[in-house]
Structures are given as C-alpha cells and as structure tokens.
Amino acid sequence: MTSTTTPEPTTPEAAATPAPPAPRGLVPLPTGAGLGLVLLGGVGTIASAFMSWTWTAKFPGDLTVYGYPAGLQILAIVAGALALLLGAARLGLLRLPNAERIANPSAVFYAAASAFALCWFAAIAIAVDLGGLANLDPGAYIAAASSALALIGALAVPAGSGGIRPYLSATDPGRISVPDNPWVRRLVITLGTALALVAFTYGIGIDSDDSETFIGFVLLVAFGALTLNRSGLLARYTAISSRHTGFAVALAFLAAVVFPFTQNDDHNANLGVNILTFGTVALGLNIVVGLTGLLDLGYVAFLGVGSYTAALVSGSEYSRFTGTEFPFWAAALTGMAVTLVFGVLIGAPTLRLRGDYLAIVTLGFGEIFRIAVNNMDGSSGPNITNGPNGISRIPDLEIFGFNLGDSHDVAGHTLGRFANYFFLMLIVTAIVVLVFTRAADSRIGRSWIAVREDETAATAMGINGFRVKLVAFALGASLAGLAGTVGAHVSYSVNPAPYQFAGAAPPNSAFLLAAVVLGGMGTVSGPLLGASLLYLIPEKLGFLQNYELFAFGIALVLLMRFRPEGVIANRRRQLEFHEIDQLDVPERGLSDSTLGVTKAGA
C-alpha cells in the first residue's frame, strides 16, 4: 500500500512571510566557509612548526631548524591538531560517535584559540627577546597567520546571539554516549592517565631557563582543558572514572611510579618529591579547611613540628640528642605523635572560637612556633633547635638495608637519591589519601561537613561541635607531621625560615591555603593539583623571582572572580557560587557521583 501525505493548506499571509535567515556566527561568513578556515588554519599551524621561526639559536628551544620541531613548535603541532580534529568533526569529515555534540561551537572556538594564543605568544616573545620583528623567520609569520585564520573561522560557526559570550560560556552538548563494555571504559581511563603522565612529564622536563616554552605549555594545557570541558569529554571521563574508581586510582598510582623512570635528570625527581610533600600537607589542611570549614592560617607550623622532631632523633651531630637515631618508622610515628599533641594543645583552648577570631589565633600560633624555634639556641632560650642555624647534616634514611641516599640500578635505569625519596613520599601520599577518603566517608566525616555547613544546626542535631573540630585539627596536624618527617631527610636540614605565614616560595601557610582553595576544597585531587601548580610554576618561571607574591595575588583575585569553587570543584560548591544555568556541567541529568563528587564533598 502506498501512503500519501496531504500538504497543509498555505494561507496568503504565510506564503508572504519570508523564511527566517540562516543562523550566522560572530564573523559574517557561511558556516562551511568558517569551518574551512579552521581546517586551513590547523593545517597551516602544523606545517609552520616544521619551518624556521627565527634565525638565531639565542631564543630558547632552538627554533631555527627546518623539518625538526622543538620547544614551542612541538606545542604548536598539538594545538593545530586539536583545532583540525574538532573542525573536521564539526564539518562531518570524521565519522565519530557524537561528533556533532563534541565539536560544538564553544569547543571549536577554544581549540582554535589555543593555537592562536600559542603562536602569537611565540611570535611576540621572539620579537621582544631578540629586539624586533626582523628576527622572525617565515615559519613564525605563517604560524601567526594560520592560527588567526582558525580563530576567525571558529567565530563564524553559529553559537547563539549575544556576541562573544556564547563562545566563552558553557554549552550543553547533550548526553554523550559511552560504550557499555567495561573493558572499553577501562581503556579510556588508561588513555587519559597516559595523556596526563605525558603532559606532566613534558612540563616538568622543561628547563628552568626556558620560561617561554613553559608559558606556552601552560597556555596549551589551559586552553586544551577548556576545550575538553566545553566538548563534554571531561565530564564523561569523570563519569567513567567514578564507575571504576579503584581502577582509576591504581592507574594514577602506577603513573606516578613510572614518572622517575622517564627522567634523566634527578633534579626533576626532586621537584616531584617537593610537590608530593607540599600536596600531602595541603591534603591535611583540607581536612581542617575543606571538610570542617575552619580557617587555619598557621598550619605550616605543624609541618615544622614534624620536621624538627625527625631532625632531633635522626642522629645528626647538630641535634640536641646527638647519638640518638630512630629507624624511619619510629621517627615517623614520633613526628606524628608530637604534632598530634601540638594539635590538641592548640585546638583545645581555641576551637571554641569561630571565623576571624579562630584565624587570628592560628596565625599567632604559626608565628609563635617560628619565633620559638629561632630562639631555642642556648642563648636566647633553651638549647633545643640550634636557633636560626637549624639542624643540618641529617643522614639519609635506610629502610630494610636500602640506603635512600645511594643511586640504584632498576631495570637498566639509574635511580638517584631524589628518585628514591620520591617513591617513599609517594607511599606516604597514598597513606594520607587513604586516611582522608576513609575519614571523609565515615560518620566523623559527615559530622565535619555538618559543622562546616551550619555548626548551630549540627549541634542542635546532637553533634558535639567542639569534639568534632578537635579531631579534625589533630588529624590534620598529624598528617602534616608525617610529611615533615620525610621532608627533613630530603633537604638534609631544617631551619626556621620556611615556616612563616607568607613567603616568596612554598611551603608556607598562605601557599598551603591557596593550594586547597585553588585546587578545590573538600576534594582529594584538588589540593594535589593546586600544590603542583603553585610549586611548579614559580620554579619554571625564573623571571618572576622578584614578583612571585605580586603574581600570586593577581592569580588569586582572578580565581575568586571567575572560579571561586576551585579548579576541581564538587557539586555543592558549584551550586553555592553559581546559578544552575551558569554551571560548567554539560549533562544536567548526571548524578553527583557521575560528576566526580564524593561523599566528602556532598
């Protein structure tokens, strides 16, 4: 049987009404032409990386060789490929699942913007460092022109009315399907972990004198993360990881174990040790600030207590107890016990205070500790800490006959002293993460969150607010002390200088608090990410040596203005700081667990 469709009657008024115009982007070009410019720009950006960008090797990275990309040129290839892939997916040239949703106008814009920001920064840096545009070779001009074409083309893709705002704001690509096969999901997690390891290894391997390449790396990572976020891939990866939490955590730990084997310079392993130490202490502070809601401005003092305790019982000739040398497990337990006692002694009389009053008291405790250890030199006070000279020549640890100060050959790769301590600190970090997650998901953890949200209401429901806060204060202090026991042996010495409220470099109380706020309060990965950023960026950007605190202040102002909930935020804090239609959540139908929110952050 043949079915026929009767056309609807057309009125003269409807026939006279013109069809609505086709949607246009911010740049008045047809959509196809705009996407063509994106493809052309991506190809041009990649091709320019195989050309010379400057005639002299004085610019870091040696961008003078044809056919051999280096430094910023390698980053340009990645940025150009990202714009090319999303442009091709949007145009329909790539037959990928959910290609139309993934390559939405906002994602295409940020992909093109990554190439534009990177290439134009490189061109400007070459001109400024070498003294004029005459130092640019054809490759740099082609890179700048091609990336500009890609950005113009991305702005021609219709994204909605309102100028540039629809391209910058979060879009809703809809539900992006994920295969139900668990092995496929595990493969996705593996690929994501491998990508993160490659990015971190490349970033930490950039020489400290090559600040231009590191700035380009930061630009690429920032715009790349925005691209993945706008495309919805980041949310889907988080959802997959939450369904296989154990597998994801195991892979992350395995990637950290592999890291020292990717480095030929033991200095990079030293950076890894310091980042882990900084991140572990920040996790302890996250219990106090992120889960319990107590503003502690003197937390670095607990790190100092653990460090000094380990130094005193290490067998150093400058120790007050010369000749006393505890094994590591005993020194670690002693450091934790002493910091636990200090946490209880400081918290017991002060935790009945709230808000600014508690912050002032903890700030005072931090300063008292620094001044006290500075004066315990046998002259201004009792001879315990050796005063401003500190305790030096702390011997290396020896665990089960394995001296961490010696180099060892493992699988044909030589692991230096800092690589050995990196593995030890990695175990300590894993222990702290386990303690944090188990405590946060327990009854006491839910009590911490209740006190944080409304202490009066929590008390009315039968929660002993003072006891709950004291437990958080003591537990956070003991975790900082544990990290301090390792840090004392890594640095060979301890002295009062680093244990202050604010300084030019971490760890200090201001940087620890900023790491928690920047990364995301109440989460596990947030403080670790914040600690990595705050330690690695000043280390690599040597020209900021005299302006670190100034740049640090500007970064905090921008963060509080545009993302007050932190880089890795939980669902509750997003709801506190933003309206529901302003959230960067591509799938509003997802549950909190799908968005990577643990009970600790609920």
Side-chain angles (χ1 to χ4, degrees):
M1 178 182 295
T2 302
S3 61
T4 58
T5 304
T6 304
E8 297 182 0
T10 303
T11 62
E13 293 79 3
T17 303
R24 291 292 182 95
L26 186 62
V27 175
L29 289 175
T31 302
L35 292 174
L37 289 180
V38 173
L39 299 181
L40 180 62
V43 172
T45 301
I46 296 173
S48 69
F50 293 88
M51 305 174 66
S52 174
W53 283 16
T54 182
W55 62 274
T56 175
K58 293 181 179 180
F59 188 81
D62 193 7
L63 310 181
T64 64
V65 183
Y66 279 84
Y68 189 79
L72 290 168
Q73 293 171 326
I74 296 176
L75 301 177
I77 292 176
V78 177
L82 185 62
L84 181 62
L85 288 175
L86 284 180
R90 183 70 183 181
L91 198 57
L93 299 180
L94 294 179
R95 300 298 180 181
L96 298 177
N98 308 297
E100 183 72 16
R101 294 175 177 175
I102 294 174
N104 59 75
S106 182
V108 175
F109 167 77
Y110 276 107
S114 66
F116 178 82
L118 181 61
C119 294
W120 280 75
F121 164 75
I124 294 173
I126 292 172
V128 172
D129 288 358
L130 301 181
L133 296 176
N135 295 283
L136 296 177
D137 271 2
Y141 287 107
I142 293 176
S146 298
S147 60
L149 283 178
L151 184 62
I152 293 172
L155 292 174
V157 180
S161 59
I164 192 67
R165 185 178 181 85
Y167 297 94
L168 299 175
S169 60
T171 57
D172 187 356
R175 184 172 295 276
I176 300 174
S177 61
V178 176
D180 292 332
N181 191 329
W183 292 106
V184 174
R185 293 197 294 267
R186 290 187 176 94
L187 177 61
V188 171
I189 296 174
T190 304
L191 293 177
T193 305
L195 179 62
L197 176 61
V198 170
F200 181 78
T201 301
Y202 184 88
I204 203 172
I206 297 175
D207 193 88
S208 299
D209 297 329
D210 191 0
S211 57
E212 290 83 358
T213 301
F214 187 78
I215 293 176
F217 171 76
V218 172
L219 289 174
L220 178 61
V221 170
F223 279 99
L226 287 170
T227 303
L228 294 177
N229 183 42
R230 296 301 189 256
S231 67
L233 293 176
L234 198 58
R236 295 312 303 163
Y237 181 81
T238 304
I240 294 173
S241 299
S242 65
R243 296 182 64 177
H244 302 277
T245 304
F247 182 75
V249 172
L251 273 183
F253 185 81
L254 180 61
V257 171
V258 171
F259 166 73
F261 293 94
T262 65
Q263 303 299 311
N264 295 321
D265 187 357
D266 203 37
H267 173 70
N268 293 335
N270 183 27
L271 294 179
V273 174
N274 293 328
I275 289 173
L276 285 179
T277 304
F278 190 18
T280 301
V281 179
L283 269 176
L285 179 60
N286 197 24
I287 294 177
V288 180
V289 176
L291 296 183
T292 318
L294 305 176
L295 183 56
D296 189 345
L297 299 181
Y299 188 77
V300 75
F302 296 123
L303 174 65
V305 171
S307 298
Y308 268 95
T309 302
L312 288 171
V313 299
S314 64
S316 169
E317 60 183 284
Y318 292 95
S319 170
R320 175 68 175 81
F321 310 105
T322 303
T324 302
E325 185 173 358
F326 286 7
F328 171 68
W329 65 268
L333 291 178
T334 304
M336 292 182 66
V338 173
T339 50
L340 178 66
V341 171
F342 267 84
V344 173
L345 291 178
I346 299 302
T350 61
L351 287 178
R352 299 188 187 278
L353 301 175
R354 297 186 185 183
D356 299 339
Y357 302 100
L358 177 62
I360 293 172
V361 170
T362 55
L363 175 61
F365 164 65
E367 290 301 303
I368 289 172
F369 169 79
R370 182 177 61 84
I371 295 172
V373 296
N374 195 57
N375 291 326
M376 292 180 182
D377 56 356
S379 176
S380 302
N383 184 17
I384 298 178
T385 64
N386 203 24
N389 295 323
I391 302 173
S392 58
R393 295 189 182 180
I394 300 175
D396 284 308
L397 291 171
E398 186 171 339
I399 303 176
F400 301 117
F402 188 87
N403 193 319
L404 299 186
D406 298 335
S407 298
H408 301 274
D409 292 331
V410 179
H413 188 89
T414 301
L415 297 177
R417 175 178 184 271
F418 292 117
N420 297 331
Y421 278 104
F422 178 86
F423 289 124
L424 176 61
M425 196 62 224
L426 185 61
I427 295 174
V428 172
T429 303
I431 293 173
V432 173
V433 169
L434 179 63
V435 171
F436 179 90
T437 53
R438 299 304 298 170
D441 291 341
S442 66
R443 180 177 180 180
I444 188 68
R446 291 190 289 271
S447 299
W448 288 338
I449 296 170
V451 169
R452 182 193 70 192
E453 296 301 319
D454 192 328
E455 185 174 352
T456 303
T459 303
M461 297 301 294
I463 296 176
N464 188 331
F466 172 75
R467 183 181 64 85
V468 166
K469 292 190 292 185
L470 186 61
V471 170
F473 214 73
L475 180 58
S478 62
L479 295 181
L482 176 60
T485 59
V486 180
H489 291 274
V490 174
S491 60
Y492 282 127
S493 64
V494 292
N495 63 82
Y499 307 111
Q500 53 187 329
F501 170 68
N508 52 66
S509 293
F511 270 79
L512 287 170
L513 183 61
V516 175
V517 177
L518 170 66
M521 291 189 292
T523 62
V524 175
S525 53
L528 295 176
L529 175 62
S532 301
L533 294 176
L534 290 180
Y535 195 92
L536 197 57
I537 291 178
E539 172 70 22
K540 296 298 183 180
L541 301 183
F543 66 91
L544 285 178
Q545 185 174 2
N546 297 325
Y547 307 98
E548 285 183 3
L549 290 179
F550 176 72
F552 175 63
I554 293 178
L556 285 182
V557 171
L558 295 177
L559 176 70
M560 293 299 100
R561 170 59 183 86
F562 296 103
R563 195 169 177 86
E565 70 272 22
V567 177
I568 302 177
N570 59 50
R571 177 69 170 178
R572 178 183 293 277
R573 292 202 174 273
Q574 283 189 313
L575 292 174
E576 289 176 356
F577 289 110
H578 301 282
E579 298 293 337
I580 188 63
D581 58 349
Q582 296 175 344
L583 293 180
D584 294 343
V585 181
E587 301 180 35
R588 298 189 178 96
L590 295 176
S591 63
D592 286 347
S593 61
T594 305
L595 293 171
V597 181
T598 63
K599 296 177 183 177

